[in-house]
Amino acid sequence: MASTRNIVGGETATGNERGRVLTMRDEEKAKEDDSPSAKRAKFERFPLTRWELAAALGVFFVFSTGLFCIYLTMPAAEYGKLKLPRTISDLRLLKDNLATYANEYPAQFILGYCSTYIFMQTFMIPGTIFMSLLAGALFGVVRGIFLVVFNATAGASSCFFLSKLIGRPLVNWLWPEKLRFFQAEIAKRRDKLLNYMLFLRVTPTLPNLFINLASPIVDIPFHIFFLATLLGLIPASYITVRAGLALGDLKSVKDLYDYKTLSVLFIIGSISIFPTLLKRKRIYE
């Protein structure tokens, strides 16, 4: 009888221990569910870590400081006229206010214009199309195209390196499906990557913002990215700068890219990938 009691008592003790273990596991699981990492997975919080966010803010602060120092060199009377346009009417008003200043202080104006354009392009601030229209309205076709292509290429390159530093989690969070598609297309076209990148830059197949951010993530070499951007943005820049000459007749930004204009861009883009199609045909033959 004593041995039976010991066995029963031992089993009871073992059961109590198991219960305590299970309770502890449940408590640990509850703590894990309440942890920051679990909450981030649940609610899909902003994907950047503290270090990545600090790096992004640091780069933004450096750019902002440089831009502010440049604006300090401008005459104080012009500060009230400086405003990023959001509509065509805002752009017309800005053009009228800055026309005299651009003629009297061309070097200072170009420096401020380029710094603003590159800053907006680097940090994905909407409105660079208005800056391109402004270049056409103030500088004409030739100088306007040169300024727009230079600034757009410099800003895209800055965005490329910023994305190389902290962009992978952000792009994966914003465009996971589009990134996988882009990566697969790049993998298939490694032999003629420059032609494909030219096609993407000329045509509105993928947004330029996405191309700038995703290119370093899918391992596109910078020299190919730079060359494709420099050459591929010329046709669209010409269209935008040319429209800036007739700013008074322009009603909306949507008027820039009608069916005819898009067709021309796709024809130009198709020419850039023609060598790739020709090579495939020879391989099949």
Side-chain angles (χ1 to χ4, degrees):
M1 295 296 294
S3 59
T4 304
R5 289 177 184 173
N6 290 336
I7 292 173
V8 173
E11 290 177 350
T12 303
T14 303
N16 292 335
E17 290 176 1
R18 288 177 180 175
R20 285 195 296 269
V21 171
L22 291 175
T23 302
M24 291 174 63
R25 288 179 179 176
D26 291 337
E27 291 175 355
E28 290 176 359
K29 186 177 181 181
K31 290 179 180 178
E32 290 176 357
D33 291 339
D34 292 333
S35 65
S37 59
K39 288 182 179 179
R40 186 183 306 167
K42 277 184 179 181
F43 302 105
E44 295 183 352
R45 291 174 57 184
F46 193 66
L48 297 182
T49 63
R50 291 182 179 178
W51 181 89
E52 291 167 338
L53 186 59
L57 292 175
V59 175
F60 184 83
F61 176 76
V62 171
F63 270 76
S64 301
T65 303
L67 192 62
F68 179 72
C69 292
I70 290 172
Y71 283 158
L72 287 179
T73 64
M74 294 183 177
E78 299 296 330
Y79 285 134
K81 301 177 182 180
L82 296 177
K83 175 187 175 183
L84 290 179
R86 288 291 176 259
T87 62
I88 296 297
S89 58
D90 290 344
L91 184 62
R92 292 194 192 100
L93 184 61
L94 182 64
K95 183 252 181 183
D96 294 337
N97 290 333
L98 294 181
T100 303
Y101 179 75
N103 291 328
E104 293 179 355
Y105 307 97
Q108 289 176 311
F109 179 79
I110 290 176
L111 181 61
Y113 173 86
C114 293
S115 302
T116 304
Y117 199 119
I118 294 172
F119 179 82
M120 295 173 66
Q121 190 86 347
T122 300
F123 296 101
M124 302 155 282
I125 300 173
T128 53
I129 190 167
F130 293 109
M131 300 293 289
S132 300
L133 289 168
L134 184 63
L138 293 176
F139 300 107
V141 176
V142 177
R143 287 196 299 168
I145 290 176
F146 176 80
L147 280 174
V148 170
V149 172
F150 169 79
N151 290 319
T153 304
S157 300
S158 298
C159 189
F160 178 96
F161 287 111
L162 183 62
S163 180
K164 196 179 182 78
L165 179 66
I166 61 167
R168 184 178 295 273
L170 187 62
V171 177
N172 277 320
W173 183 57
L174 290 174
W175 304 290
E177 296 295 332
K178 190 178 292 186
L179 181 61
R180 282 192 287 269
F181 167 79
F182 188 43
Q183 195 164 20
E185 292 298 311
I186 293 298
K188 290 189 295 185
R189 293 171 171 83
R190 284 290 175 186
D191 294 338
K192 294 290 183 180
L193 190 55
L194 178 59
N195 298 86
Y196 180 62
M197 290 297 294
L198 277 171
F199 173 79
L200 293 180
R201 282 302 193 188
V202 173
T203 64
T205 306
L206 288 174
N208 282 325
L209 170 61
F210 173 78
I211 296 173
N212 295 342
L213 289 173
S215 292
I217 297 173
V218 298
D219 297 326
I220 294 176
F222 176 70
H223 68 279
I224 291 179
F225 173 88
F226 178 84
L227 191 58
T229 303
L230 182 66
L231 300 177
L233 292 180
I234 293 176
S237 298
Y238 172 78
I239 293 171
T240 309
V241 170
R242 185 80 179 176
L245 294 176
L247 196 58
D249 300 330
L250 194 63
K251 296 179 181 180
S252 172
V253 175
K254 295 179 181 179
D255 297 338
L256 290 173
Y257 296 101
D258 54 9
Y259 178 77
K260 181 180 178 181
T261 303
L262 292 176
S263 300
V264 171
L265 290 177
F266 270 102
I267 291 173
I268 297 173
S270 299
I271 294 173
S272 67
I273 62 170
F274 181 75
T276 305
L277 299 176
L278 186 63
K279 181 180 179 181
R280 287 186 178 181
K281 183 179 178 182
R282 288 177 179 176
I283 291 175
Y284 290 137
E285 289 177 352

